[in-house]
C-alpha cells in the first residue's frame, strides 16, 4: 500500500468532484470515505487506474449522501446522472484547492488543518495527534473551516502569499505523533511548485529543504537542543542541501526577490560554511537587510542583531538589539548570547535564566537553563 501515492491523488480527486457540482464540504467527506475504502481494498486488489477508482468511489459516496439528505432533494436530477466509468480528465485542480484552503476568511490554525486534510490527505486523527489536541476538537475545527469555504467562489486569482504562509506554518510545526509535518510541508510545497510557476514558491521549497537538511544534527541523543554553531555538520543531508541551493539559485536568477528567497539565502550561507567559524556573516547581514526592507519584521531585526554581533562584534550586535522592543520573543536569549560573547558572563547568566523562565517549550527551557548554569559554574571556578 503506497500511502504517499494515495495522499498525492487527493487534490485531483477532490477537484473533480467539486467541478462536477459537489460542494466542497460534501466532496471532501466523500473523498475521505473513498480513501478509507482504498486502504481496505487495494492491498488485496489494487486498481489499474488508482485515480479513476477513487473518483468513482468518492462520487458514489457523494451521491449516496446527497440522496439521503432531504434538504438537497433539488439536486436529484443532477446527481442521478452518474458519469460513466472510464479515464478521468487530466485537469489539475490542486492550485484551486490550495487557494480555497488558505482562504483569508479562515484563521491560520483552521487553514493549516484544512490544507492537511483536503490537500494533504491526512486523517482527522493524524492531524489531531500532530497538534496534540483531541480528535473531536480537530474534527470540529475542520468542519467549521469546511462550512466557511463551502460557498466561496474562486473566480479570481488567489493570494499566493497566503498559501505559502500556511505551508510555512505547517513546516514549522515539525514532528509530532505519527505524522512528520515538516516532511509533509515539503511534499505539499513540491506539489505546489508543479502547478504554479512563482519564484517565491521555489524560495519556500528551498528554505524548507535547507532547514530540514540539518534536522538530524539539531538534537543530542538525550533530546537536548544543539545550537547551529555546535552541530556535527557531517550529519547534515548534503543531497538535500544541494537540491535546495539549486532551486534557490534558479529562483534568484529571475530577479523577483521575495521574503522566502531571502530567508533561503541566509540558510544556504549557513549550509555552505564548512565550519561555524567560516560562516560568511557579512553577507548574511546583507541578506537580513534585504529581509528588513521586504518585511520590516521585528523578528527579522532580532535575527539581524545576532548576525551583526557575529560580523562586527558583540558590542555592535548589542547596539542593534537596543533599538528593538524587549518584549519580543527570544529577545532576552539573544541579549544573553551577545553579552556572553562580549565577556560579560554575569549578565549573560542572569539573562539566560530569565529567558529560560519564558521559553516556549521544554527543550528550549532546558537548553537556556544549562547555559546559565555553565556560566555560573565557570565564574565560581574562577573565583576559587
Amino acid at each position: 500500500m503506497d500511502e504517499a501515492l494515495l495522499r498525492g491523488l487527493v487534490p485531483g480527486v477532490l477537484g473533480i468532484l467539486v467541478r462536477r457540482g459537489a460542494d466542497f464540504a460534501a466532496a471532501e467527506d466523500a473523498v475521505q470515505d473513498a480513501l478509507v475504502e482504498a486502504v481496505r481494498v487495494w492491498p488485496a486488489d489494487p486498481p489499474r487506474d488508482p485515480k479513476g477508482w477513487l473518483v468513482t468511489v468518492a462520487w458514489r459516496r457523494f451521491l449516496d449522501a446527497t440522496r439521503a439528505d432531504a434538504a438537497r432533494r433539488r439536486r436529484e436530477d443532477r446527481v442521478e446522472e452518474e458519469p460513466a466509468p472510464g479515464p478521468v480528465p487530466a485537469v489539475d485542480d490542486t492550485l484551486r484547492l490550495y487557494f480555497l484552503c488558505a482562504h483569508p476568511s479562515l484563521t491560520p490554525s483552521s487553514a493549516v488543518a484544512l490544507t492537511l486534510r483536503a490537500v494533504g490527505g491526512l486523517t482527522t486523527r493524524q492531524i489531531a495527534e500532530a497538534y496534540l489536541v483531541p480528535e473531536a476538537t480537530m474534527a470540529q475545527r475542520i468542519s467549521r473551516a469546511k462550512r466557511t469555504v463551502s460557498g466561496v467562489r474562486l473566480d479570481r486569482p488567489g493570494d499566493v502569499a497566503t498559501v505559502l504562509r500556511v505551508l510555512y506554518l505547517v513546516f514549522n510545526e515539525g514532528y509530532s505523533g505519527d505524522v512528520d509535518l515538516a516532511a509533509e510541508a515539503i511534499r505539499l510545497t513540491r506539489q505546489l511548485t508543479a502547478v504554479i510557476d512563482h519564484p517565491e514558491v521555489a524560495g519556500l521549497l528551498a528554505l524548507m529543504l535547507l532547514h530540514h537538511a540539518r534536522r538530524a544534527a539539531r538534537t543530542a541523543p538525550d533530546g537536548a537542543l544543539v545550537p547551529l554553531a555546535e552541530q556535527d555538520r557531517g550529519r547534515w543531508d548534503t543531497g538535500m542541501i544541494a537540491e535546495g541551493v539549486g532551486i534557490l539559485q534558479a529562483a534568484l536568477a529571475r530577479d523577483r526577490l521575495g521574503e522566502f528567497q531571502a530567508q533561503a539565502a541566509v540558510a544556504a550561507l549557513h549550509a555552505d560554511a564548512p565550519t561555524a567559524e567560516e560562516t560568511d556573516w557579512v553577507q548574511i547581514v546583507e541578506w537580513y537587510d534585504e529581509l528588513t526592507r521586504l518585511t520590516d519584521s521585528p523578528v527579522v531585526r532580532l535575527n539581524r542583531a545576532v548576525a551583526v554581533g557575529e560580523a562586527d562584534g558583540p558590542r555592535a550586535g548589542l547596539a542593534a538589539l537596543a533599538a528593538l522592543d524587549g518584549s519580543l520573543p527570544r529577545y532576552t536569549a539573544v541579549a544573553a548570547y551577545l553579552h556572553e560573547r562580549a565577556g560579560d558572563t554575569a549578565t549573560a547568566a542572569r539573562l539566560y535564566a530569565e529567558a529560560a523562565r519564558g521559553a516556549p517549550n521544554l527543550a528550549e527551557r532546558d537548553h537556556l537553563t544549562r547555559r546559565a548554569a555553565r556560566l555560573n559554574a565557570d565564574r565560581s571556578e574562577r573565583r576559587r
Side-chain angles (χ1 to χ4, degrees), residues 225 355-357 359-370:
L225 290 180
R357 290 192 291 272
N361 56 65
L362 182 61
E364 191 167 333
R365 187 192 71 188
D366 290 347
H367 170 70
L368 293 168
T369 301
R370 281 194 294 269

Side-chain angles (χ1 to χ4, degrees), residues 111 136 276 306:
V306 176

Side-chain angles (χ1 to χ4, degrees), residues 254-268:
R254 300 177 65 175
D255 199 24
R256 291 168 56 194
L257 183 64
E259 174 187 355
F260 291 117
Q261 293 169 75
Q263 286 192 49
V266 171

